[in-house]
Amino acid sequence: AQSVTQPDIHITVSEGASLELRCNYSYGATPYLFWYVQSPGQGLQLLLKYFSGDTLVQGIKGFEAEFKRSQSSFNLRKPSVHWSDAAEYFCAVRSSGGSYIPTFGRGTSLIVHP
Amino acid sequence: EAQVTQNPRYLITVTGKKLTVTCSQNMNHEYMSWYRQDPGLGLRQIYYSMNVEVTDKGDVPEGYKVSRKEKRNFPLILESPSPNQTSLYFCASSSGLNTEAFFGQGTRLTVV
């Protein structure tokens, strides 16, 4: 069975600082990987996804993530955080077949200090 | 506009009173799913459907029912709601292999 671990429940950064949110997955074959963002009171918005090819993927809002098969990781990064990035971030993994519905991590809450 | 629509957005109900949360998508997606979101637990899958009349249990199906009579609709039914079903619920849909899941805006349910 597939699973996702986001080891950090909360992350606090200063505005303008760099950000890295960690995600580790467990899946037997090549996974499909996603990062979603949830702003307060909102639904989930896709930031980026990895299906195959280049292991460094670019997303919206200046985010990027790198797939590292050897570490079973898909960490999310941003070079300079803005106050509007404060939100809940979810990593998700999906199989290449089957239900096509992703399994989510528990989420990381990002707090941005001015 | 491509979207997944859930109704209602907010609902307060009493224990044992049957309720239905509707979900509709206009993207002709085969795959639909319901999640509940609870603090510290992320999103946990309740039920999913791979096509019309095909549904299966997710990780936390107890106390819930679903149906998929039409491709666009995937209602979530709570026959006898209990306070531990107080949660934020999301419906999602996907067209399959090389796409992501699209989410509704969520339904905040409170059972008292």
Side-chain angles (χ1 to χ4, degrees):
Chain A
Q2 60 210 34
S3 66
V4 177
T5 301
Q6 293 180 247
D8 303 306
I9 298 173
H10 302 283
I11 291 279
T12 302
V13 299
S14 298
E15 191 169 16
S18 63
L19 170 71
E20 182 170 34
L21 301 183
R22 296 183 291 165
C23 172
N24 293 96
Y25 67 89
S26 173
Y27 183 63
T30 299
Y32 287 13
L33 296 158
F34 310 85
W35 274 99
Y36 285 85
V37 61
Q38 183 183 31
S39 298
Q42 301 297 312
L44 279 82
Q45 181 183 23
L46 180 73
L47 282 176
L48 47 80
K49 60 189 177 187
Y50 171 78
F51 288 164
S52 65
D54 193 346
T55 57
L56 183 64
V57 293
Q58 303 296 322
I60 62 171
K61 305 185 179 185
F63 286 92
E64 66 177 27
E66 186 171 12
F67 170 57
K68 293 185 177 180
R69 184 189 301 275
S70 62
Q71 299 176 19
S72 296
S73 69
F74 189 56
N75 294 348
L76 181 71
R77 300 194 294 251
K78 187 170 184 177
S80 179
V81 171
H82 188 263
W83 65 266
S84 60
D85 293 325
E88 189 88 14
Y89 291 80
F90 292 96
C91 182
V93 63
R94 200 201 77 192
S95 66
S96 58
S99 72
Y100 299 120
I101 298 292
T103 297
F104 285 83
R106 294 190 175 191
T108 298
S109 179
L110 175 63
I111 301 164
V112 181
H113 282 313
Chain B
E1 180 189 355
Q3 59 186 1
V4 178
T5 303
Q6 296 178 226
N7 280 296
R9 292 288 310 279
Y10 302 92
L11 178 61
I12 301 174
T13 190
V14 297
T15 298
K17 185 177 181 182
K18 180 179 178 180
L19 67 91
T20 299
V21 184
T22 64
C23 174
S24 180
Q25 49 93 4
N26 62 1
M27 295 169 278
N28 201 37
H29 286 171
E30 289 84 8
Y31 305 94
M32 299 186 74
S33 181
W34 277 103
Y35 295 85
R36 60 177 290 173
Q37 182 181 11
D38 302 289
L41 298 178
L43 283 83
R44 294 179 293 167
Q45 191 179 91
I46 303 171
Y47 269 94
Y48 64 92
S49 169
M50 296 175 71
N51 214 325
V52 175
E53 302 292 1
V54 181
T55 64
D56 209 344
K57 296 178 180 178
D59 299 319
V60 288
E62 293 77 20
Y64 304 95
K65 285 175 57 178
V66 292
S67 70
R68 189 90 183 274
K69 293 183 169 54
E70 308 165 277
K71 198 173 188 179
R72 64 183 290 123
N73 296 323
F74 190 47
L76 179 70
I77 303 155
L78 285 74
E79 294 272 4
S80 182
S82 62
N84 64 12
Q85 292 178 299
T86 292
S87 187
L88 179 58
Y89 291 86
F90 286 101
C91 179
S93 73
S94 169
S95 66
L97 186 59
N98 290 324
T99 66
E100 68 274 20
F102 292 82
F103 285 82
Q105 286 293 94
T107 296
R108 185 165 292 282
L109 172 66
T110 302
V111 183
V112 298

